[in-house]
Amino acid sequence: QVQLVESGGALVQPGGSLRLSCAASGFIFSYHAMSWYRQAPGRQRELVAWIGSGESTKYADSVKGRFTISRDNAKKTVYLQMNSLKPDDTAVYYCNTKGAEQYWGQGTQVTVSS
């Protein structure tokens, strides 16, 4: 079955950096687009970044120039490099892919605070 396992969330100071990882299994990773979403308390889940099977990328306006999504097909892993973090980036970050249905990981908490 499809499994997505996120890691790398932490407490970080404003201006700091983190790299999130999402290890995938149960499907042909290289064929699928992958996404990172986030959900802050009291807010709807929102798309942060997307990477296609051909490695084209898209970003939410709020993270453009600060976040970078990438993938390693040999490791079946997608990454989210987050730089210049702001308190507004505080959220649970989820890995996502779509096949016959949408698949989600369990999420990893990112807290940006001094």
Side-chain angles (χ1 to χ4, degrees):
Q1 70 278 21
V2 173
Q3 280 196 314
L4 301 171
V5 180
E6 301 98 334
S7 61
L11 170 63
V12 63
Q13 292 189 343
S17 297
L18 280 176
R19 188 176 82 155
L20 306 183
S21 300
C22 171
S25 61
F27 63 102
I28 304 175
F29 180 79
S30 61
Y31 287 9
H32 286 257
M34 300 294 298
S35 301
W36 285 97
Y37 283 74
R38 67 186 180 187
Q39 188 166 20
R43 300 183 67 175
Q44 287 192 332
R45 193 171 295 191
E46 63 174 353
L47 177 65
V48 175
W50 173 94
I51 185 166
S53 58
E55 303 200 20
S56 56
T57 58
K58 298 179 183 178
Y59 296 93
D61 287 344
S62 58
V63 306
K64 279 181 184 175
R66 300 189 298 122
F67 290 12
T68 303
I69 189 171
S70 61
R71 64 191 298 158
D72 184 331
N73 289 337
K75 294 183 178 180
K76 300 181 181 180
T77 300
V78 61
Y79 303 98
L80 186 67
Q81 177 67 44
M82 306 187 294
N83 299 328
S84 302
L85 282 161
K86 305 174 181 180
D88 281 351
D89 296 318
T90 295
V92 178
Y93 284 70
Y94 296 93
C95 184
N96 168 273
T97 193
K98 297 179 180 66
E101 57 187 86
Q102 290 219 51
Y103 299 98
W104 299 92
Q106 82 287 352
T108 187
Q109 176 71 46
V110 172
T111 302
V112 184
S113 175
S114 54

